[in-house]
Every structure is written in C-alpha cells, then in structure tokens.
Amino acid sequence: MAHLLGDMDAVAQGLSVMSSRILVDSLPSLVEELLGPREGSVIVARLLEKGAREGFTRFMERLGVSPDSMKLEQVLAIFVRQEGQQPRHPFQVFDTMECMDGKCVLESRRCPYSDIAERHPTVKAVFIGTVAGVAAALGYRVRWLVTPSARKYLCRESKPDIIIYMDENIELPACRLIVEMYTCSTPQS
C-alpha cells in the first residue's frame, strides 16, 4: 500500500509540474503575444479565476466543507510557502502574508516566476485569477484588477466584496499581491 501511495504522490507531483508549465510558462506568453499584455492579462485572469473557482468548489464539496466555515485568511495561506520547505503546489509562490484591517498582503522577495514575468507581464494574471477564483468559491463577490488604477470603475455595476491586484510599486524579482475588502462609497446628496 505504501508503494502505491508513493506512486500516486509521484503522479500528482508530475501533473502539478505539467500544469504549472502550461499555466505559467506557456499560456500567458501565448495569449500575450496574440493580444498584448493588457488584454492578455484579462483573458488569463478570467480563465484562471473560473478554473480555480470550480476546482476549489469541488474540493470543498468532496471534503464536506461549507464555504462559510472557512475564513479568507485561512484559505489565502495556501498560497504561502512554509519556511524551509519546498512548495506543495505551483501556486505557493509567496513567502509571507500579513492581514490587518480588512486587507491581506501576500509577498515574496524573490518570486519563483519572476524571470518569466519580466519577459511576459501577463504571468502575474495567473496568480491574480487563481486567488480570485478561490475567494469566489468561498462566496465573496470578487473583482480582480489588472491595474489598481481601475478601482474608480468598480462600483458602476456589481459591487465587489473583495478586490485583488498586484502592487505595481514593487519591482521584480519581488512581488506583492493585495487582497482587500472593498466598500463602495455612496455619493453625498
């Protein structure tokens, strides 16, 4: 039985490596070359958001876990590598996470995909979309932003509970993902 479990673990790790190569190395660069960085980022984030939302929803269903029984901070921790340990999956790219006052900051001084992101900025959308999909599976109305300056347009249609974006003030090889609770302000009469 132990041999079988070891083989299953090896297969799962192999699939994980294969999917990370497709999702991080190939897809963003291909879409970016076809559509450009801005439009490519939108497409990549949408695809990853949808896949992550569906996958995480199925995962919770199989475990018999209700989305409202999990806190956002607990779920965001799956994207943070444990100190001194190898990443358990390709999306575990951040070294630290700090949450305070409705805002969580996931950060890495040396992002594992920074070399690719320098050539193809669309790679950042992979992580924005994945985190957005997981948060959506928890029942949050999520809006991700390719650029934080898009905040001014958020409350025109559907009002988000959470916004997700990369901090543009951080230069590669570092990266910082912001996940913050968002409230639409109402205009004064």
Side-chain angles (χ1 to χ4, degrees):
M1 181 65 131
H3 180 4
L4 179 61
L5 292 175
D7 290 345
M8 289 175 65
D9 189 47
V11 168
Q13 294 238 339
L15 289 171
S16 179
V17 168
M18 181 186 72
S19 67
S20 72
R21 289 217 170 112
I22 291 169
L23 294 175
V24 179
D25 296 355
S26 302
L27 177 68
S29 60
L30 177 65
V31 173
E32 183 177 309
E33 288 172 15
L34 291 171
L35 302 173
R38 170 112 175 87
E39 291 80 10
S41 293
V42 170
I43 296 299
V44 168
R46 279 187 189 149
L47 288 170
L48 272 289
E49 177 185 14
K50 182 179 185 210
R53 182 181 59 244
E54 290 173 5
F56 201 73
T57 298
R58 283 191 200 125
F59 175 71
M60 289 187 300
E61 287 171 356
R62 287 195 177 150
L63 290 177
V65 174
S66 170
D68 58 356
S69 70
M70 301 178 81
K71 293 184 180 183
L72 181 62
E73 293 85 6
Q74 292 173 310
V75 175
L76 291 176
I78 66 175
F79 298 101
V80 180
R81 290 188 299 259
Q82 300 302 311
E83 190 173 333
Q85 294 182 8
Q86 292 286 44
R88 291 178 29 215
H89 56 80
F91 299 100
Q92 207 171 30
V93 298
F94 300 100
D95 299 319
T96 62
M97 179 178 75
E98 290 185 31
C99 296
M100 189 169 20
D101 300 328
K103 182 178 187 176
C104 291
V105 178
L106 291 86
E107 189 167 9
S108 179
R109 291 184 185 187
R110 174 93 178 117
C111 291
Y113 302 109
S114 62
D115 297 348
I116 301 165
E118 283 187 55
R119 293 187 312 277
H120 300 286
T122 304
V123 167
K124 297 174 187 176
V126 169
F127 303 100
I128 293 170
T130 301
V131 172
V134 169
L138 293 176
Y140 291 100
R141 291 178 313 219
V142 179
R143 289 292 303 268
W144 46 264
L145 309 172
V146 173
T147 61
S149 61
R151 298 171 89 128
K152 59 187 169 192
Y153 304 111
L154 289 176
C155 296
R156 289 186 177 171
E157 294 171 13
S158 63
K159 296 171 176 39
D161 299 320
I162 294 174
I163 60 173
I164 300 171
Y165 56 93
M166 285 285 187
D167 186 337
E168 292 180 322
N169 298 317
I170 300 298
E171 293 185 24
L172 292 170
C175 58
R176 181 182 295 153
L177 183 79
I178 311 294
V179 179
E180 72 179 85
M181 301 305 268
Y182 193 76
T183 306
C184 294
S185 57
T186 55
Q188 301 285 329
S189 307

